[in-house]
């Protein structure tokens, strides 16, 4: 692995202008409940998961409070790991221009990254279903709201959770601003632009099966970018990668940065 880390580091240092694409793998290292990873929700609820988390909740009403409270707990307690922190450092030191993420947990912001495209939204942000106004919640506010939702789900019905959600000044219901299956993906055009113009793309913790995010490495490659993949296992994207480094983001990325910072490289 060290040899691969060295090659990736020397490329990052020489070229700069990189883009990082992250998926649930990096968040699962922070304890966030994930869908597609081994042991994630999709493993357990294969049958009813085709429409995303909302379908799982509707199809498994008895399990829904537990599923949601586990999800909320993990989001509330999740902290950026050395992978997130390392990505933020690469941005601060000028090697990467932006982070494109499929994660909704805001951990890249918590780690200190600033130029972030959240393709699937951010669960700590609410969006009015009527006028589209957005507002951000603190983790504490989110947790309180989450507890109320779980409580309603236990006592009443799935539909009743809409009664718990805060109201906008226009009286519309404000729901967490994440993208469900089949909904349009915000920021995708900007993300494609970033991918096409970067010198290298570092793919971290994504299986490469969810579109349109999964098409971004192809855009990067067609623009001549070098592809570095850091994943626990080979993925649908590995055949496009110039370097595949197998391992945890939280272990590989700090090693990579250490190498980038070495003078001799
Ligand atoms: Zn509104």
């Amino acid at each position: 692995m060290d040899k691969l880390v060295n090659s990736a580091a020397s490329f990052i240092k020489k070229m700069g202008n990189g883009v990082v694409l992250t998926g649930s793998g990096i968040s699962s290292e922070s304890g966030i409940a994930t869908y597609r990873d081994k042991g994630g929700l999709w493993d357990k609820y294969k049958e009813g998961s085709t429409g995303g988390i909302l379908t799982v909740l509707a199809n498994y009403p008895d399990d829904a409070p537990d599923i949601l409270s586990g999800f909320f707990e993990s989001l509330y307690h999740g902290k950026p790991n050395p992978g997130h922190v390392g990505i933020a450092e690469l941005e601060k030191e000028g090697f990467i221009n932006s982070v494109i993420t499929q994660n909704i947990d805001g951990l890249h912001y918590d780690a200190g990254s600033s130029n972030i495209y959240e393709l699937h939204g951010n669960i700590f942000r609410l969006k009015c279903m009527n006028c589209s106004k957005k507002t951000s919640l603190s983790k504490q506010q989110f947790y309180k709201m989450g507890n109320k939702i779980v409580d309603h789900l236990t006592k009443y019905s799935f539909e009743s959770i809409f009664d718990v959600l805060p109201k906008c000044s226009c009286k519309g219901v404000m729901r967490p601003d994440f993208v469900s299956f089949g909904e349009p993906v915000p920021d995708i055009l900007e993300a494609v632009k970033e991918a096409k113009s970067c010198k290298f793309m570092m793919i971290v913790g994504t299986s490469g099966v969810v579109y349109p995010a999964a098409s971004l490495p192809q855009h990067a490659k067609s623009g001549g970018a070098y592809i570095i993949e850091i994943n626990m296992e080979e993925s649908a994207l590995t055949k496009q990668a110039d370097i595949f480094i197998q391992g945890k983001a939280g272990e590989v990325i700090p090693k990579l940065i250490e190498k980038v910072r070495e003078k001799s490289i």
Side-chain angles (χ1 to χ4, degrees):
M1 177 166 106
D2 286 350
K3 225 174 153 186
L4 295 171
V5 169
N6 284 354
S7 316
S10 69
F11 195 87
I12 290 172
K13 190 157 185 175
K14 194 167 75 193
M15 303 306 287
N17 287 306
V19 164
V20 179
L21 172 66
T22 65
S24 63
I26 189 167
S27 288
S28 70
E29 290 178 33
S30 287
I32 305 289
T34 59
Y35 302 147
R36 267 165 230 283
D37 297 309
K38 259 192 200 134
L41 282 181
W42 275 196
D43 256 3
K44 213 169 156 196
Y45 300 102
K46 270 195 187 93
E47 300 300 313
S49 67
T50 46
I53 179 100
L54 297 176
T55 345
V56 174
L57 297 176
N59 285 337
Y60 298 92
D62 293 345
D63 292 1
D66 275 352
I67 295 172
L68 265 192
S69 76
F71 191 48
F72 291 151
E73 284 286 332
S74 73
L75 284 162
Y76 179 65
H77 294 291
K79 300 258 183 309
N81 64 60
H84 294 103
V85 173
I87 290 169
E89 285 173 7
L90 282 174
E91 184 185 349
K92 281 181 198 139
E93 292 175 28
F95 297 107
I96 63 164
N97 302 327
S98 59
V99 181
I100 302 168
T101 186
Q102 302 167 82
N103 302 334
I104 58 172
D105 50 44
L107 289 179
H108 286 297
Y109 280 110
D110 294 348
S113 289
S114 55
N115 197 20
I116 307 171
Y117 297 97
E118 293 176 312
L119 297 183
H120 296 167
N122 186 319
I123 193 130
F124 297 104
R125 193 172 57 218
L126 298 176
K127 183 179 176 184
C128 175
M129 291 166 78
N130 180 42
C131 74
S132 299
K133 194 169 110 181
K134 293 181 183 184
T135 174
S136 286
L137 295 179
S138 68
K139 284 208 167 173
Q140 202 65 41
Q141 289 170 319
F142 171 81
Y143 193 59
K144 251 174 108 177
M145 185 185 80
N147 280 338
K148 268 199 207 162
I149 288 175
V150 172
D151 190 48
H152 257 63
L153 202 52
T154 314
K155 288 186 189 147
Y156 312 111
S157 63
F158 176 67
E159 288 71 28
S160 78
I161 64 178
F162 287 93
D163 302 337
V164 182
L165 295 172
K167 300 283 181 302
C168 175
S169 52
C170 81
K171 300 204 168 69
V173 173
M174 301 204 80
R175 55 154 274 194
D177 187 18
F178 66 88
V179 175
S180 273
F181 280 20
E183 287 184 330
V185 170
D187 288 356
I188 188 63
L189 293 179
E190 287 84 353
V192 167
K193 217 185 276 175
E194 291 280 324
K196 281 184 169 163
S197 60
C198 68
K199 293 284 186 217
F200 72 89
M201 176 175 275
M202 190 160 94
I203 300 166
V204 184
T206 175
S207 49
V209 293
V210 179
Y211 282 84
S215 67
L216 293 170
Q218 193 53 51
H219 285 298
K221 203 136 181 110
S222 68
Y226 187 79
I227 310 285
I228 300 163
E229 180 185 9
I230 301 167
N231 258 330
M232 293 296 287
E233 284 165 25
E234 288 197 3
S235 72
L237 302 170
T238 306
K239 55 184 184 306
Q240 296 172 38
D242 294 287
I243 290 189
F244 169 67
I245 305 175
Q246 189 163 20
K248 284 185 168 181
E251 287 167 12
V252 174
I253 293 174
K255 279 188 190 166
L256 200 56
I257 293 184
E258 201 181 305
K259 280 285 153 198
V260 168
R261 285 175 181 156
E262 267 178 22
K263 281 204 177 77
S264 57
I265 219 167

